[in-house]
Amino acid sequence: MTDSTPAPSRRRARVRAPELIGKGGWLNTGGKQYSLADLRGRIVVLDFWTFCCINCLHVVDELRELEARHRDTVVVVGVHSPKFVHEADHAAVADAVERYGVEHPVLDDPELATWKQYAVRAWPTLVVIDPEGYVVAQHAGEGHVHAIERLVTELEAEHAAKGTLRRGDGPYVAPEPEPTVLRFPGKALLLPGGTFLVSDTTRHQLVELAQDGESVVRRIGSGARGFADGPADAASFNEPQGLALLDDGSVVVADTVNHALRRLHLTSGEVGTLAGTGRQWMQGDARSGPAREVNLSSPWDVALFGGRVWIAMAGVHQLWAYDPVSGGVAVAAGTTNEGLVDGPGPEAWFAQPSGLAATPERLWLADSETSALRWVDLDGAVHTAVGTGLFDFGHRDGPAAQALLQHPLGVTALPDGSVAVSDTYNHALRRFDPATGEVTTLATDLREPSDAVLAGDDIVVVESARHRLTRLRLPEEAVRVAGVAHRTQRAATEVAPGRLQLDVIFEAPAGQKLDTRYGPSTRLLVSSTPPELLTHGEGAGTDLSRALELDPTVPEGVLHVSAMAASCDDDPANEYPACHVHQQDWGVPVRLTERGTDRLPLVLAGLDA
């Protein structure tokens, strides 16, 4: 007689799951409040996310198929854990849940109470809880759903045999749809005839509005998530964003969740695909080549600059470019590391670039996660006009070196050479003047502005969270706003000065092993802000553990850690095993104190023993 209990259950560590606590309460449950006890008997996947984070949005999309396949056994719970001040606003969280089509319960945790209970250190993080209420796995970053799928299958078999699995409908209750003309529009484009083309992001369409910015001329796209070319009523998009007019009169569309560039022929309404395969770019994929054969990653905006279509590739913190003449696409700037580093394009670091605007001499960009306004010159070098890094943000006017933005998503070149910034999380339209180096505020009381376009003497703002275009007269004088500075709400980790042992925890998923066929399958990159914080241990290597040395004269800072591990199916009979890349970037605020810890564990996949 054989043992019917799955072997992994005898080895799996189990830690009692802390309770789910969130001052903001629950969304997508029809008003009901839940505890872990209410979910006992189901496999629970906690998704710690924040709505500014592109990697978090990738995970929301990755989880859709898992939720569909295991709808009667698995309950996904999004635990919203804010980085920016705006993300602690319950109404903004509710908007984001609808905007990104989140179809599972969400716990709004503005004070990071549950985040702290689960010792989470990164967005996104996934935690798996078994039907008896024990934590059995933790994964940081994206690309882990294949591993969670295996684990869920094991847990289903194990707990069905034990009689501890409870099947049935989950707690998700869909909200009532709102009858607005637009729903969370992303970007807008003034067409040659004076009408406006708007990416109606949440409805997966493009909408042409009349010159009044309100009346619908036509809709392009079926309105359902999809990736199909064809006529206007049959083509489909998946959360489209950026728009740019090409020299031939057609429009290129950043089809964000399809990881593609699409082309709209304005006269016929026909939609085709310019670039991308529909698959998300991952480390090791091609960085250049024929545009239809290269994977892209969450293109958020597009702009024509120097004869090429530049792409704000938010998903990998880079700028790419599409050449309409050759039909090729390639990386133009950025290393894929997340941060704020200027210099030659190949060495620059970005953090979720989300807005582009071109002038003859400069390509301006809104670098949202660093709350920065940056630009690329004609030689391809990257410069920063406003912004200091990942953890400093606010609403403060004045000299650019002291001015603060909060997660801007759009940028617009103005006729006088200055730049308007859609300062999204400050609900404001800001202005930077390169001639004076000053930042001012043009307008306030805008609800999550995500883009703006010039129309004569007016500027038309996409008020994404008010589901409309708002026309403003460009003011001659700016509004005065009292300065407010913020830092991320995440508590700093107290560490001891001197030696700090950094351990990135990675356990290959069941049935897989590290892929060492072509050399080391792991990579670790470490740096710090300020650079003086680290006296030893900076740089790249292949070991996931490293001894760092922290300068005791630097009281606080941020450790930037990027880890990658590649694992493949462990089946000697399979000549071509399926392989997966696991990757995560951490920005860990630290404070040096004699009572601090001398070890910093960061979980990429598994549990820290």
Side-chain angles (χ1 to χ4, degrees):
M1 184 175 177
T2 59
D3 181 2
S4 61
T5 304
S9 67
R10 294 192 291 265
R11 300 193 304 268
R12 191 181 299 122
R14 300 204 308 172
V15 178
R16 177 61 72 180
E19 189 51 85
L20 303 179
I21 304 167
K23 188 176 180 180
W26 290 80
L27 295 161
N28 278 359
T29 63
K32 184 174 178 180
Q33 306 298 299
Y34 281 87
S35 68
L36 273 179
D38 298 321
L39 304 176
R40 194 64 47 84
R42 310 297 290 273
I43 300 164
V44 178
V45 179
L46 302 182
D47 175 18
F48 289 87
W49 71 299
T50 187
F51 64 79
C52 71
C53 162
I54 189 64
N55 309 94
C56 300
L57 302 184
H58 289 167
V59 169
V60 167
D61 288 310
E62 289 175 1
L63 288 170
R64 295 187 198 278
E65 290 188 15
L66 176 75
E67 292 177 271
R69 283 194 292 264
H70 301 270
R71 193 169 299 281
D72 64 336
T73 60
V74 172
V75 174
V76 175
V77 175
V79 182
H80 189 269
S81 313
K83 170 186 173 180
F84 290 97
V85 170
H86 172 60
E87 292 172 319
D89 177 356
H90 181 74
V93 179
D95 282 347
V97 168
E98 181 188 351
R99 180 196 302 267
Y100 298 116
V102 178
E103 295 181 350
H104 51 245
V106 173
L107 175 65
D108 181 12
D109 182 20
E111 297 176 345
L112 302 179
T114 298
W115 166 286
K116 294 170 186 173
Q117 288 289 325
Y118 281 82
V120 175
R121 295 183 183 276
W123 296 279
T125 291
L126 295 170
V127 175
V128 181
I129 302 171
D130 73 11
E132 294 179 282
Y134 290 91
V135 174
V136 292
Q138 181 171 328
H139 301 266
E142 54 185 292
H144 297 293
V145 171
H146 71 283
I148 292 175
E149 177 97 47
R150 287 173 180 258
L151 177 57
V152 163
T153 302
E154 291 177 6
L155 290 171
E156 286 174 337
E158 175 185 337
H159 288 274
K162 291 173 67 176
T164 51
L165 184 69
R166 176 168 58 90
R167 295 178 181 270
D169 293 334
Y172 169 68
V173 177
E176 289 292 325
E178 296 286 340
T180 53
V181 172
L182 303 172
R183 203 69 192 163
F184 298 105
K187 305 289 185 181
L189 176 68
L190 182 67
L191 296 178
T195 59
F196 298 92
L197 187 66
V198 183
S199 53
D200 197 12
T201 303
T202 298
R203 293 208 178 112
H204 316 294
Q205 291 181 318
L206 308 180
V207 179
E208 185 177 356
L209 298 178
Q211 294 185 16
D212 62 7
E214 299 177 5
S215 306
V216 175
V217 176
R218 59 174 169 166
R219 292 184 178 271
I220 297 134
S222 67
R225 287 182 187 272
F227 189 7
D229 293 338
D233 59 348
S236 55
F237 301 92
N238 199 341
E239 297 184 24
Q241 288 281 351
L243 307 164
L245 191 65
L246 298 180
D247 291 336
D248 65 2
S250 63
V251 174
V252 59
V253 182
D255 195 4
T256 304
V257 180
N258 277 329
H259 311 293
L261 298 187
R262 314 292 292 282
R263 187 206 298 265
L264 167 65
H265 294 275
L266 287 172
T267 303
S268 66
E270 189 82 11
V271 175
T273 299
L274 278 181
T277 63
R279 296 184 298 275
Q280 182 185 341
W281 188 95
M282 302 297 286
Q283 290 289 350
D285 288 353
R287 296 163 60 90
S288 64
R292 291 292 303 275
E293 300 174 15
V294 177
N295 297 338
L296 308 181
S297 182
S298 297
W300 206 275
D301 203 5
V302 282
L304 194 61
F305 178 63
R308 296 185 294 169
V309 177
W310 285 64
I311 310 163
M313 203 72 78
V316 284
H317 316 299
Q318 289 181 312
L319 300 180
W320 287 47
Y322 165 76
D323 187 339
V325 176
S326 70
V329 67
V331 176
T335 64
T336 76
N337 294 318
E338 184 179 19
L340 194 154
V341 177
D342 290 340
E347 301 172 14
W349 290 25
F350 300 97
Q352 214 167 298
S354 302
L356 298 174
T359 68
E361 294 80 27
R362 294 184 179 185
L363 178 70
W364 292 97
L365 67 111
D367 203 27
S368 62
E369 279 293 288
T370 52
S371 297
L373 173 64
R374 306 176 73 184
W375 53 280
V376 181
D377 64 26
L378 292 173
D379 294 325
V382 179
H383 312 261
T384 297
V386 182
T388 58
L390 286 165
F391 299 101
D392 297 301
F393 52 89
H395 190 160
R396 186 163 63 199
D397 291 334
Q402 286 81 45
L404 294 171
L405 308 170
Q406 186 178 181
H407 197 78
L409 291 178
V411 60
T412 308
L414 300 180
D416 63 358
S418 66
V419 182
V421 180
S422 295
D423 194 4
T424 309
Y425 287 4
N426 280 326
H427 310 298
L429 190 67
R430 311 286 295 283
R431 175 179 180 265
F432 170 70
D433 186 351
T436 63
E438 291 284 320
V439 174
T440 52
T441 298
L442 294 176
T444 58
D445 193 31
L446 301 167
R447 187 69 181 170
E448 292 194 17
S450 55
D451 195 20
V453 294
L454 290 172
D457 293 331
D458 298 336
I459 188 165
V460 177
V461 180
V462 180
E463 276 199 274
S464 188
R466 284 199 176 112
H467 319 293
R468 70 187 189 192
L469 302 187
T470 298
R471 185 181 294 265
L472 304 173
R473 181 56 55 97
L474 273 174
E476 295 181 5
E477 295 185 5
V479 179
R480 282 291 167 193
V481 174
V484 179
H486 300 292
R487 285 183 64 83
T488 178
Q489 295 187 50
R490 291 174 58 190
T493 300
E494 293 193 346
V495 297
R499 188 180 188 278
L500 177 67
Q501 179 64 32
L502 172 65
D503 292 324
V504 173
I505 313 301
F506 178 76
E507 300 171 11
Q512 295 186 7
K513 64 179 181 179
L514 287 173
D515 178 20
T516 56
R517 292 172 298 167
Y518 308 108
S521 60
T522 56
R523 180 175 180 269
L524 180 65
L525 177 67
V526 182
S527 62
S528 67
T529 303
E532 297 77 26
L533 175 63
L534 269 177
T535 61
H536 178 75
E538 183 179 12
T542 58
D543 195 336
L544 292 181
S545 293
R546 187 179 301 179
L548 310 179
E549 288 286 337
L550 306 181
D551 187 339
T553 66
V554 179
E556 62 180 10
V558 178
L559 291 175
H560 304 284
V561 180
S562 178
M564 184 273 288
S567 62
C568 296
D569 289 346
D570 187 11
D571 181 1
N574 186 354
E575 185 178 356
Y576 303 104
C579 297
H580 304 273
V581 175
H582 313 258
Q583 183 174 4
Q584 174 61 17
D585 297 329
W586 291 268
V588 183
V590 295
R591 182 180 300 112
L592 275 60
T593 171
E594 294 296 336
R595 298 184 303 277
T597 181
D598 61 0
R599 178 175 179 264
L600 178 61
L602 300 175
V603 176
L604 180 59
L607 294 173
D608 179 21

